[in-house]
């Protein structure tokens, strides 16, 4: 998945952390909700500005970052 169109960094929002599109919802927020056991539907119910594609983009971003960290060391 190409997450680059969904995950954005803006130094003016959330200290430059990667966020979903133009929201203030970070990749870390979404990963935390998933780790806490929330389903995609529950997250979208609580945050209707998010889509299933947004959540998948957060997962793809995290996987790509982990992959890059493993190969950088």
């Amino acid at each position: 998945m190409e997450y680059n169109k969904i995950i954005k960094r803006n130094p003016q929002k959330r200290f430059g952390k990667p966020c979903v599109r133009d929201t203030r919802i970070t990749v870390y927020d979404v990963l935390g909700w998933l780790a806490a056991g929330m389903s995609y539907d529950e997250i979208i119910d609580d945050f209707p500005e998010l889509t299933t594609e947004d959540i998948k983009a957060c997962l793809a971003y995290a996987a790509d970052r982990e992959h890059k960290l493993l190969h950088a060391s």
Side-chain angles (χ1 to χ4, degrees):
M1 162 180 241
E2 290 188 32
Y3 58 81
N4 297 345
K5 295 178 183 171
I6 296 173
I7 306 301
K8 308 284 183 183
R9 286 181 178 263
N10 179 342
Q12 304 302 317
K13 287 188 181 177
R14 301 291 300 266
F15 304 101
K17 293 178 183 175
C19 292
V20 177
R21 288 179 277 104
D22 294 321
T23 71
R24 296 181 61 78
I25 299 171
T26 66
V27 169
Y28 179 80
D29 294 332
V30 174
L31 295 176
W33 298 326
L34 291 168
M38 290 180 75
S39 69
Y40 285 23
D41 290 335
E42 289 171 325
I43 294 170
I44 293 168
D45 284 345
D46 286 350
F47 301 92
E49 62 268 40
L50 295 178
T51 66
T52 300
E53 286 298 308
D54 294 335
I55 296 170
K56 289 179 181 178
C58 290
L59 290 169
Y61 176 89
D64 189 45
R65 182 174 168 138
E66 180 67 17
H67 177 77
K68 289 176 182 175
L69 288 174
L70 286 174
H71 291 290
S73 53

